[in-house]
Amino acid sequence: MTETVPLTPEQVTEGPWLAMYRQMTKIRLFEEQVNDLYRSAKMPGLAHLYSGEEGVAVGVCSALRRDDYITSTHRGHGHCLAKGAEIDRMFAELLGKEAGYCKGKGGSMHIADHANGNLGANAIVAGSTGIATGAAFSAKRRGTDQVSVCFIGEGALGQGILYEVMNMASLWALPVLYVCENNLYNEYTHYLEATAGDVLDRPRAFGIHALDVDGQDVRAVYALTKGLVERARRGEGPAFLQCNTYRYHGHHVGDVDRAYYRSKEEEQLWRDERDPIARLGKWLLETGIAEQDGLESIEDEVRGEIERGVAVALEAPFPDPSEVTDDVYA
């Protein structure tokens, strides 16, 4: 069952809702621009767009401090931006430019931003689970109250390393939160065709506190994450949060005809009735926290930020060829 979290009047008033609306809008417009860069042959390689899942990244990262850690996935632009990454440096990395977070060598699937606690995205499914758990182990050994969040997709449930690290995290009561973004599809296969049993039974088998939440409701994601992060800071051990969500685009930017594995009706249903930005915007208007012109102004401001960021990245120089082996550790 999806966990519902009632908000108190104080939480409704004090929650960072407009900031969340801005962040989700930023991620959506960023990904639209990434898709345009690919389609116009300005971006080398592929990207895996995060559109539709913004409520998860923003809800989770809004509950974290800057010095808390995250690790990300191949579909990681939203995580990076939600944790504080700069738009121009993100675009520069995607375009292989020297000004990028990894000097153009990481590309879409390997962006890291250590200043904001982002230990890096990872193209390997479940590949960052050991990094996030290790960061939590380090925080505990150093006596800090930092928390580590490990973003994974439901495809990671088929990888053995996830169970190895959850076992250690439970044994050592590590301050780590495993956030499973279940967007229904392991690339082109519905997850129920590849995942036996109840997802939450898996972490619970290790004694890990596990919950389910509507990933399209950023307020619910934030409220649950806030409690789980506070629990981890108190030394009460790891937790697992399954966020039920949906990706609007294909597995990657080249996956444009998805009719053979999901219907257009399904896609339209999620866009029309379950969009996380529209749902938060509707609630902001109903509660009087925002007016329609205020929300439109936010979108206009963010669109300007995106346009300026991509312009800077397009004009930025490529790294010198002599640096090709610098900062490469394989």
Side-chain angles (χ1 to χ4, degrees):
M1 292 292 291
T2 298
E3 187 85 3
T4 56
V5 182
L7 298 174
T8 66
E10 292 77 16
Q11 286 176 307
V12 170
T13 304
E14 298 173 4
W17 311 122
L18 286 174
M20 290 186 188
Y21 187 86
R22 177 183 289 274
Q23 281 286 66
M24 288 197 293
T25 301
K26 181 187 294 185
I27 294 168
R28 178 71 57 85
L29 295 180
F30 181 92
E31 294 295 61
E32 287 181 7
Q33 184 64 67
V34 172
N35 201 29
D36 287 346
L37 288 170
Y38 172 76
R39 294 171 65 184
S40 60
K42 294 174 182 173
M43 183 183 75
L46 296 173
H48 302 75
L49 303 180
Y50 196 71
S51 302
E53 303 184 28
E54 296 91 348
V56 180
V58 172
V60 170
C61 290
S62 295
L64 300 176
R65 299 190 317 228
R66 188 184 185 196
D67 67 335
D68 287 327
Y69 300 115
I70 69 164
T71 60
S72 184
T73 69
H74 60 277
R75 196 178 309 283
H77 303 163
H79 308 143
C80 297
L81 289 167
K83 197 61 169 69
E86 298 173 15
I87 292 172
D88 54 351
R89 294 189 66 189
M90 288 280 290
F91 278 129
E93 186 60 38
L94 296 180
L95 296 173
K97 301 299 185 71
E98 186 177 16
Y101 274 102
C102 302
K103 300 180 182 179
K105 296 177 183 176
S108 173
M109 294 187 283
H110 300 95
I111 297 175
D113 175 16
H114 292 177
N116 285 306
N118 181 357
L119 301 180
N122 202 308
I124 300 172
V125 175
S128 68
T129 55
I131 298 169
T133 308
F137 177 77
S138 169
K140 184 165 185 175
R141 286 295 298 268
R142 289 182 289 110
T144 71
D145 63 350
Q146 292 164 286
V147 173
S148 182
V149 169
C150 178
F151 287 102
I152 55 174
E154 81 288 333
L157 297 168
Q159 297 295 321
I161 187 173
L162 174 63
Y163 303 101
E164 296 179 43
V165 299
M166 285 198 298
N167 180 64
M168 290 186 284
S170 182
L171 285 172
W172 301 334
L174 300 182
V176 57
L177 171 60
Y178 301 99
V179 176
C180 178
E181 297 178 298
N182 189 339
N183 63 21
L184 299 183
Y185 293 94
N186 304 169
E187 295 193 358
Y188 319 110
T189 303
H190 197 286
Y191 87 102
L192 290 179
E193 298 179 38
T195 309
D198 188 314
V199 169
L200 297 188
D201 285 345
R202 298 178 179 221
R204 285 171 179 162
F206 296 97
I208 292 177
H209 184 54
L211 297 172
D212 205 47
V213 70
D214 180 359
Q216 307 306 86
D217 183 351
V218 68
R219 295 183 298 127
V221 175
Y222 171 71
L224 266 183
T225 303
K226 196 165 182 288
L228 296 176
V229 168
E230 290 169 355
R231 178 180 179 273
R233 291 201 205 282
R234 293 194 300 266
E236 297 178 27
F240 185 102
L241 182 62
Q242 177 177 228
C243 300
N244 298 296
T245 186
Y246 196 78
R247 55 171 165 83
Y248 289 168
H249 294 278
H251 172 57
H252 54 70
V253 285
D255 176 20
V256 294
D257 181 13
R258 301 171 292 280
Y260 66 95
Y261 69 90
R262 71 186 198 190
S263 69
K264 297 302 180 185
E265 291 77 14
E266 177 186 287
E267 293 185 353
Q268 203 60 47
L269 173 69
W270 281 86
R271 285 180 179 269
D272 291 347
E273 300 184 15
R274 302 174 186 173
D275 184 80
I277 302 174
R279 286 176 68 175
L280 179 60
K282 182 171 183 277
W283 179 81
L284 289 170
L285 296 175
E286 290 173 347
T287 56
I289 295 174
E291 300 291 338
Q292 184 62 44
D293 59 351
L295 297 184
E296 292 173 0
S297 177
I298 288 174
E299 181 173 343
D300 290 342
E301 290 171 7
V302 171
R303 194 174 296 278
E305 292 175 20
I306 297 295
E307 290 173 356
R308 290 190 294 274
V310 74
V312 168
L314 286 169
E315 292 298 320
F318 289 100
D320 190 279
S322 65
E323 300 176 10
V324 68
T325 59
D326 293 351
D327 307 311
V328 177
Y329 303 102

